[in-house]
Amino acid sequence: MKSLHNKVVWPSLVAILVVWMGCDQGSEKPMVSIFQFEKPAHFPEPTYTFRNNEVNEKGFNLGKMLFFDPSLSRDGSIACSSCHVQSHAFADTWLHPFSFGVEDRQGVRNAPPLFNLAFHKEFFWDGGVTHLDFAPILAFESEIEMDISFEDVVGRIQRNDAYKALFREAFGIEEVTGPYVLHALSQFMLMMVSADSRYDQYILGDQQALSSVELEGLVLFRQHCESCHREPLFTDLSYRNNGVQRQISDLGRETITEVSEDRAKFKVPSLRNIEVTSPYMHNARFEGLLQVLNHYTQGVQDQENIDPLIFKDGKPMIQLSEDEKTKIIAFLKSLTDNNFLSNPIFFNSNDR
Amino acid sequence: MQFIRQTLTILAFAMLSIATFSCQENENPTLEDSGEMIVKFDNYVGNQTMVIDEVGSTNYRYSNNSGQKFNLTRFGYYISHIKLEGPNGEVFIDEMNAAADANQIKGYYQVVQGNSETYNIHLKGIPHGQYNKITFNLGVKEDGIQEGAVGGILDRAAGGWFWNWNSGFINYIIEGHSDASLRDENRVQIHIGGWKNIPSGDETPQRFFDNNVAVSLPFDATVTVSNTLRPSPHIMMDLLKVIGDTDLSTENNIHSPAAGKAFAPKLADAFIVDHTHQ
């Protein structure tokens, strides 16, 4: 009896092990790649649907190729990269307070920078786009941007043999369709993670990363700015009217939610890389950070839906001395992430 | 000791069989106990059959309840979340999946007037039994939007009706011309969409409007799904139930959830099961 058991039990256990191992397809660990999305330790969980579109090197490179390709605009003149420039944190340069689309058509809102998009739930100044994948559709189809139907974009890609082969390699598909174009672009944009400024180094434990003036600025920032520009993204992702329009002409968030309570509200922008994204505000009203702070301390006027954290009971809510402004600006410049601004993985490689 | 060995033996066999079976292709064990149904959609304008005219046509075939004449150059709607129910507790819930791969899209259907292939929704895997009621969602809910870019009939590059500026699908689309419309080329565009409600609070208003509509239709007779029986309910949709009382001189340019809100309650009443083929 004993020998029978031994004959049965142990081979069975071995068999189980073999079958289980055969089942476990995830046991082979993929090589760690610089083209994988990694959440910075001090960031919240990303909101992007990575389960449907995991970043990999081929998809990323394909997205980059699309991002830098002007042939995806109606007249072949404008690429995503025309208005989203890496050295400006993928905002437009200060030369273009409003970006130029096809035929030099001028935009109506300042091109927003692109980074940490995996952590946002809504996109553009009014937040009308509810998933990163859909953001490029609006840029393609806007008459003042690339002015081309998304259907035509995909058609042009389908007729391009080089793209066809790359989509096959990245996604295993024979025919390029809309969602894969959007997935490739998202993969490229998702990798735009900016979390390596001196502020971040300080947060992650390097006490020397910030100077004493910058540290004083951080304390002041937390007193006066933090409630909207919340760390670590430096935005609370909400919509507010900070009174930056003298007369309300752009309805902002109201266009999307269709209630007057949201009139003139815009998404609170991140302050990361603020040093390189001048001019500021959706209407590009201010060229310098001192002007911005002066707006909050004395420029802001009462207005419909004015944010009570900014203006209440007939007066501005934020009071800062000139010295305090200087310190806050010093701190804001510590949010510049030079490794992100010069990361070669984002460089245009289409002409290679 | 003996007892432990015996237990171990039994356990080993049990685990071996579980491990072996769990590795196999997941076959539907009730496949032979399930059948099919074809749900057919017929669109009408009052008692006239629906015809799609060329963009620019001034042949106004139809008129609304106040005599405003119009034609249609594009018409259709999305159907999703189909459910069948029977008198004896039978329930079939159509599987839903939104994905980039068009072949992986499940449970979303686009009825496009002028493309007869889209009029028939072929439901499979229905448990054998009797059915006398169909329920579906008119439109695309959050589960078809917030997964990100999706393919097939939901792909904007391939005929999907998708708003680029305020993400979401147009649940029910009406385009055409009317001599009552003073827009360029007497255009009429009524795009009814919207998929979320942010309800009002003490000091905050309702934001957005969910214009997805639950449609629940009893069959005119109980039908049987079996190995040999594949029933086909015919659903009739009457556009005049939706825009019969609409003043096309003013309501001819509807492009947002709030603007479409007034139409949404009328949508459910536009559908009836006319008859069923057993």
Side-chain angles (χ1 to χ4, degrees), chain A residues 60-129:
Chain A
F60 171 89
N61 282 330
L62 184 48
K64 177 160 77 171
M65 201 169 160
L66 296 165
F67 191 86
F68 282 97
D69 185 351
S71 78
L72 303 181
S73 61
R74 182 175 52 74
D75 62 3
S77 63
I78 299 289
C80 307
S81 58
S82 304
C83 308
H84 296 286
V85 182
Q86 184 180 1
S87 55
H88 296 275
F90 292 100
D92 208 339
T93 77
W94 52 272
L95 291 165
H96 299 157
F98 299 113
S99 301
F100 292 100
V102 298
E103 294 175 6
D104 287 339
R105 293 176 191 166
Q106 201 166 22
V108 293
R109 293 176 186 161
N110 183 240
L114 307 179
F115 53 77
N116 300 341
L117 300 171
F119 306 93
H120 287 239
K121 293 178 184 138
E122 292 163 334
F123 302 87
F124 295 93
W125 280 104
D126 59 22
V129 170

Side-chain angles (χ1 to χ4, degrees), chain A residues 58-282:
Chain A
K58 284 177 177 160
F60 171 89
N61 282 330
L62 184 48
K64 177 160 77 171
M65 201 169 160
L66 296 165
F67 191 86
F68 282 97
D69 185 351
S71 78
L72 303 181
S73 61
R74 182 175 52 74
D75 62 3
S77 63
I78 299 289
C80 307
S81 58
S82 304
C83 308
H84 296 286
V85 182
Q86 184 180 1
S87 55
H88 296 275
F90 292 100
D92 208 339
T93 77
W94 52 272
L95 291 165
H96 299 157
F98 299 113
S99 301
F100 292 100
V102 298
E103 294 175 6
D104 287 339
R105 293 176 191 166
Q106 201 166 22
V108 293
R109 293 176 186 161
N110 183 240
L114 307 179
F115 53 77
N116 300 341
L117 300 171
F119 306 93
H120 287 239
K121 293 178 184 138
E122 292 163 334
F123 302 87
F124 295 93
W125 280 104
D126 59 22
V129 170
T130 60
H131 194 288
L132 179 62
D133 289 355
F134 304 140
I137 300 178
L138 184 50
F140 284 127
E141 297 194 339
S142 166
E143 288 174 20
I144 53 175
E145 296 183 46
M146 297 167 86
D147 193 30
I148 180 173
S149 74
F150 184 49
E151 191 175 349
D152 285 349
V153 170
V154 175
R156 288 184 189 185
I157 293 168
Q158 283 169 342
R159 290 190 294 276
N160 179 320
D161 288 339
Y163 272 130
K164 220 179 150 178
L166 291 168
F167 271 94
R168 190 186 299 120
E169 281 179 38
F171 297 105
I173 53 172
E174 288 305 316
E175 194 200 356
V176 181
T177 59
Y180 293 100
V181 172
L182 300 174
H183 276 179
L185 282 164
S186 282
Q187 288 196 27
F188 180 60
M189 291 188 286
L190 287 162
M191 291 299 289
M192 297 173 181
V193 175
S194 181
D196 196 20
S197 66
R198 287 188 293 109
Y199 157 83
D200 296 292
Q201 290 156 15
Y202 172 79
I203 291 293
L204 293 172
D206 179 359
Q207 298 295 314
Q208 307 304 312
L210 295 182
S211 70
S212 60
V213 173
E214 288 163 346
L215 278 173
E216 286 179 60
L218 172 57
V219 171
L220 290 163
F221 177 87
R222 285 176 172 164
Q223 282 168 13
H224 298 286
C225 319
E226 175 84 38
S227 48
C228 304
H229 296 285
R230 197 169 299 154
E231 298 167 66
L233 297 177
F234 288 87
T235 165
D236 66 350
L237 308 178
S238 69
Y239 302 86
R240 297 169 189 267
N241 178 10
N242 65 355
V244 75
Q245 297 186 78
R246 290 185 183 86
Q247 299 284 326
I248 295 174
S249 55
D250 187 335
L251 300 180
R253 183 69 174 158
E254 182 185 5
T255 319
I256 305 303
T257 61
E258 304 186 86
V259 293
S260 61
E261 285 84 347
D262 287 340
R263 182 164 304 160
K265 291 184 183 176
F266 294 86
K267 193 171 169 190
V268 174
S270 173
L271 300 181
R272 289 179 171 275
N273 301 299
I274 197 77
E275 186 181 7
V276 296
T277 62
S278 166
Y280 305 114
M281 308 298 170
H282 77 274

Side-chain angles (χ1 to χ4, degrees), chain A residues 23 51-52 133 141 258 262, chain B residues 23 147 149 156 207 256 258:
Chain A
C23 262
R51 62 182 177 276
N52 299 332
D133 289 355
E141 297 194 339
E258 304 186 86
D262 287 340
Chain B
C23 248
E147 291 299 316
R156 172 154 174 125
R207 289 179 160 90
S256 74

